[in-house]
Amino acid sequence: MEFDGYHVTATQNVKGILHSYNNSIPIKTGIEYMRKQLSIQGETKRKKPGSLGYGLYTFTEGIISPEKLINCYAKRAIGNVQIKKVTLHIDVNENNILDLTNYASKQYQNFANYCEAAEKYISRANLQFVSKGKNQFVWEGVAVELFIAEMESRGEMYYGVRRDTYTPLSVNSVDASLRRTSNGIEFLIRDWSIVSNIDHDVLKLSQEE
């Protein structure tokens, strides 16, 4: 399947993305990368996984256009610097995507069952990232990384993760962790092999809230 994923970041970061892509430098993701982070002394120095795990986060087509989502995200999260929209053209076999958008699917049920069975292990790792243990997104990211590692041990490879997003649409909106209604889709890129091309343009933020 082919589609576009839209990533937004400060202009200074785009050079690093292109360098990694053009030189096939592995994306920092996976169970070994998570273990490396957990071995770092000091909670604040460890890179925490997002709700889809480690990798390059993008917005794709969903209920609200990805253009609006990246605009709103940029206003809230990046600050007063020049921003670029990075368009990643993705071509990936559906069997290599962990799709968590369909709660009725066998794949989602397998993931939910794993989370239940490994809850203590997931929570223990989560507490090493967040000592208060109250960041739901980190817990879910840990769960995704552990689940993918388990599936890879059985011969299943996942190069991307798809999941609903709860991105706030204005600077005054409640945090995503407090939202209950999805407004789009996020796609996490874990391997450059599924990216066929990258374009980037300076993002001009709209003045709408």
Side-chain angles (χ1 to χ4, degrees), residues 29 50-51 61 73:
T29 189
S51 60
E61 294 295 338
Y73 174 82

Side-chain angles (χ1 to χ4, degrees), residues 143-197:
V144 167
E145 290 294 349
L146 291 174
F147 177 73
I148 289 178
E150 175 66 22
M151 292 300 100
E152 288 181 346
S153 73
R154 303 180 187 183
E156 296 185 24
M157 303 302 294
Y158 293 121
Y159 303 135
V161 182
R162 179 191 289 124
R163 197 165 198 174
D164 294 331
T165 183
Y166 303 84
T167 303
L169 296 181
S170 78
V171 295
N172 296 317
S173 294
V174 299
D175 289 342
S177 60
L178 300 177
R179 295 177 62 91
R180 293 294 180 269
T181 305
S182 168
N183 55 16
I185 302 293
E186 281 185 298
F187 184 82
L188 178 78
I189 298 170
R190 296 173 57 88
D191 194 289
W192 288 124
S193 65
I194 67 174
V195 179
S196 61
N197 190 40

Side-chain angles (χ1 to χ4, degrees), residues 84-123:
K84 278 198 169 184
K85 177 181 75 172
V86 182
T87 304
L88 300 105
H89 306 286
I90 298 166
D91 186 354
V92 58
N93 188 309
E94 287 188 60
N95 293 328
N96 297 127
I97 296 176
L98 176 59
D99 188 349
L100 301 177
T101 62
N102 182 0
Y103 296 164
S105 71
K106 181 178 179 181
Q107 191 178 55
Y108 187 90
Q109 291 300 316
N110 288 340
F111 175 69
N113 290 338
Y114 176 84
C115 289
E116 181 179 3
E119 182 172 359
K120 289 183 179 179
Y121 186 40
I122 297 168
S123 295

Side-chain angles (χ1 to χ4, degrees), residues 27-45:
I27 295 173
K28 294 178 179 178
T29 189
I31 190 67
E32 292 305 321
Y33 181 70
M34 188 172 78
R35 287 171 176 163
K36 181 179 179 181
Q37 295 306 306
L38 288 173
S39 70
I40 296 174
Q41 296 298 315
E43 179 184 321
T44 59
K45 297 179 181 179

Side-chain angles (χ1 to χ4, degrees), residues 14-82:
V14 175
K15 184 177 180 179
I17 293 173
L18 295 175
H19 176 74
S20 296
Y21 173 68
N22 291 327
N23 293 280
S24 299
I25 298 173
I27 295 173
K28 294 178 179 178
T29 189
I31 190 67
E32 292 305 321
Y33 181 70
M34 188 172 78
R35 287 171 176 163
K36 181 179 179 181
Q37 295 306 306
L38 288 173
S39 70
I40 296 174
Q41 296 298 315
E43 179 184 321
T44 59
K45 297 179 181 179
R46 299 171 187 150
K47 181 175 175 59
K48 302 176 180 65
S51 60
L52 282 68
Y54 291 109
L56 185 64
Y57 281 72
T58 69
F59 292 110
T60 63
E61 294 295 338
I63 299 171
I64 294 176
S65 73
E67 287 81 4
K68 183 170 183 177
L69 290 174
I70 63 174
N71 193 295
C72 296
Y73 174 82
K75 287 180 181 180
R76 289 174 58 93
I78 296 181
N80 190 27
V81 297
Q82 188 182 70

